Amino acid sequence: MLKDLSKNIVEDIAVAVALEKETPESKIWYVYLINLKDQPIENVLVTSKGYGEKDGEQVKTSVLRHMMPLVEAGASALIEPIDEATFGLNNEYWVSYYIGKDIYDKKFIFLPESIVDSNFIKLPVLNKVGVMIR
């Protein structure tokens, strides 16, 4: 039965952590969903959570859920702001969406200390600097 299910492979979808604004005192970061496809995605659900170890203790953040009715082709959607204090944790974003009647889902995980200057790229669609997982 499992072999009869179609394997809907997620392609051309990315989650990015972008540096939004920088002042001498602080940096403001946002997480975006980027649709690199040539078609829109619909009924997008993103769950986010952080987990890992900090100062020898296991830490978990709250699970947040975000809904986007539509993300156009070649566009982005804001998921949430993110605090630099969580960059030492695993930051997980589970994305589910529809194209027509087919559902797709994929987990994107920013590993601890992966959101650092040495990993920055110019993010497509957003034209900002940050880290992206495809």
Side-chain angles (χ1 to χ4, degrees):
M1 237 160 85
L2 194 55
K3 65 179 170 52
D4 296 328
L5 294 175
S6 64
K7 292 184 168 87
N8 294 341
I9 308 289
V10 172
E11 295 177 327
D12 299 327
I13 298 294
V15 174
V17 176
L19 179 58
E20 201 68 26
K21 185 177 176 186
E22 186 173 10
T23 66
E25 300 83 39
S26 67
K27 293 180 180 179
I28 297 173
W29 300 87
Y30 286 138
V31 182
Y32 290 92
L33 176 71
I34 303 174
N35 180 5
L36 299 167
K37 294 180 169 299
D38 58 2
Q39 59 189 317
I41 58 176
E42 300 176 308
N43 297 320
V44 181
L45 176 65
V46 180
T47 60
S48 64
K49 66 180 178 179
Y51 57 89
E53 191 173 302
K54 189 168 185 170
D55 301 326
E57 301 275 330
Q58 288 297 316
V59 178
K60 286 185 186 178
T61 66
S62 300
V63 175
L64 302 175
R65 292 169 185 82
H66 312 276
M67 177 66 185
M68 294 151 236
L70 180 73
V71 180
E72 292 290 347
S76 65
L78 175 65
I79 297 174
E80 65 186 10
I82 187 170
D83 191 324
E84 277 186 287
T86 65
F87 289 177
L89 302 174
N90 293 298
N91 287 285
E92 177 183 298
Y93 296 87
W94 194 328
V95 178
S96 298
Y97 61 91
Y98 282 88
I99 296 177
K101 294 182 181 183
D102 295 324
I103 188 168
Y104 297 79
D105 72 322
K106 182 175 180 179
K107 206 180 286 188
F108 298 84
I109 302 174
F110 292 91
L111 297 174
E113 308 305 331
S114 64
I115 306 169
V116 293
D117 292 352
S118 61
N119 291 336
F120 281 6
I121 61 169
K122 184 173 181 187
L123 299 168
V125 179
L126 297 172
N127 293 320
K128 299 176 185 197
V129 296
V131 178
M132 180 174 83
I133 300 175
R134 255 179 118 160

